[in-house]
Amino acid sequence: MKHTFLNVLPNYKRKYRPMNLPASSMEYCTKSSEPEQTIGRYPIPYKKDLPYDIVELMEEIETKSGFLPNVFKVLSHRPTEFRAFFAYYNALMNKEAGQLSKADRELIIVATSANNSCPYCVIAHSAVHRIYSKNPTLADQVAVNWHLADLDDRQRAMLDFALAVSCGENIGENNFKKLEAHGFDREDAWDIGVIAAFYSMSNRIAHLTDMRPNKEFYMLGRLPKEKEMKE
């Protein structure tokens, strides 16, 4: 599963549902297999109330992934912030430069989110990590206790730095030297630290909005692809 978000999102003006149009005639911004399932505490806008660029992005993600992650639905409550969030996400997670793999980036998110007790981000990004890494157990280990996880020395140094940033510790030369001993340069340190910082913010947004993970995330990457598709 590869999430690709639009890098430039036009600043369309938000349209509002006409008062004389019954709500029953307006579909929500996405289909839901379990409409009774709680997504979060803020209302999810109707599809026709959302700017075109946001609807287009949601439909693209849902078509490619087979479902729409709830973070899109929840953040659509505020379209301007939605655009800013995913623009920065793209800048951090989809860049080609540097020594961090996509699996590395997802593991940083899992560790940061577990440290911040964020169920949505732990469950969602553990799923993405399993898919990128082809490792069905490491993200679970990191989510429970990263100190006891089956990490190599490089991964351990990476997460140690990420969590120092996430916890608001004073970052000094010694932190950078520990990374450099495992092949990370200063630009890699920026990537590690900023991913941890961005997702520390994201974790708090998830707490604020009571964001709940999609049920689809739980089994992604745990079974052979053929079995996942059948189920």
Side-chain angles (χ1 to χ4, degrees):
M1 179 180 64
K2 182 179 180 181
H3 289 169
T4 54
F5 305 127
L6 301 179
N7 291 322
V8 180
L9 298 175
N11 187 24
Y12 287 94
K13 292 182 179 179
R14 186 172 183 176
K15 298 180 180 179
Y16 294 89
R17 177 163 53 89
M19 295 298 292
N20 61 347
L21 191 60
S24 60
S25 68
M26 308 286 288
E27 63 180 82
Y28 281 102
C29 62
T30 184
K31 295 172 286 185
S32 175
S33 57
E34 296 186 25
E36 73 281 0
Q37 185 179 17
T38 301
I39 292 173
R41 62 169 49 97
Y42 284 84
I44 307 301
Y46 289 106
K47 190 172 184 178
K48 289 186 179 180
D49 289 341
L50 288 168
Y52 173 77
D53 60 307
I54 291 178
V55 173
E56 186 177 49
L57 176 58
M58 286 177 159
E59 290 179 346
E60 178 185 353
I61 296 299
E62 188 166 13
T63 297
K64 288 183 177 180
S65 302
F67 69 101
L68 183 64
N70 287 339
V71 63
F72 290 90
K73 305 174 194 177
V74 171
L75 293 185
S76 71
H77 181 71
R78 291 195 170 185
T80 300
E81 293 171 37
F82 177 108
R83 295 184 182 104
F85 182 94
F86 287 111
Y88 201 30
Y89 172 95
N90 277 327
L92 294 178
M93 302 301 290
N94 293 327
K95 65 181 294 185
E96 299 297 332
Q99 299 184 61
L100 295 183
S101 67
K102 289 187 179 295
D104 288 336
R105 294 171 196 273
E106 296 297 334
L107 200 61
I108 292 167
I109 298 170
V110 173
T112 299
S113 301
N115 187 62
N116 290 323
S117 302
C118 179
Y120 183 90
C121 294
V122 168
I123 292 166
H125 290 279
S126 291
V128 182
H129 178 268
R130 289 192 295 270
I131 290 166
Y132 284 144
S133 69
K134 304 295 188 292
N135 185 327
T137 61
L138 184 59
D140 290 343
Q141 294 173 8
V142 168
V144 174
N145 186 340
W146 75 275
H147 294 287
L148 301 179
D150 295 328
L151 299 166
D152 59 32
D153 290 341
R154 175 185 176 277
Q155 291 169 322
R156 200 168 295 279
M158 177 183 76
L159 295 188
D160 187 60
F161 187 87
L163 290 171
V165 172
S166 177
C167 292
E169 296 179 14
N170 293 324
I171 304 300
E173 285 302 309
N174 192 47
N175 298 95
F176 289 96
K177 287 179 180 178
K178 289 179 181 178
L179 281 181
E180 290 166 1
H182 296 282
F184 295 109
D185 61 23
R186 292 294 172 112
E187 294 303 314
D188 298 321
W190 179 297
D191 288 338
I192 295 167
V194 174
I195 291 169
F198 179 74
Y199 270 89
S200 293
M201 177 198 73
S202 180
N203 299 154
R204 287 155 176 80
I205 293 173
H207 287 314
L208 168 69
T209 59
D210 194 25
M211 194 185 304
R212 304 301 179 89
N214 305 67
K215 64 181 181 63
E216 288 90 346
F217 281 127
Y218 288 92
M219 294 306 296
L220 283 175
R222 297 190 190 278
L223 300 173
K225 191 171 182 180
E226 295 77 12
K227 289 185 179 179
E228 284 183 357
M229 293 184 68
K230 287 179 183 178
E231 296 183 1

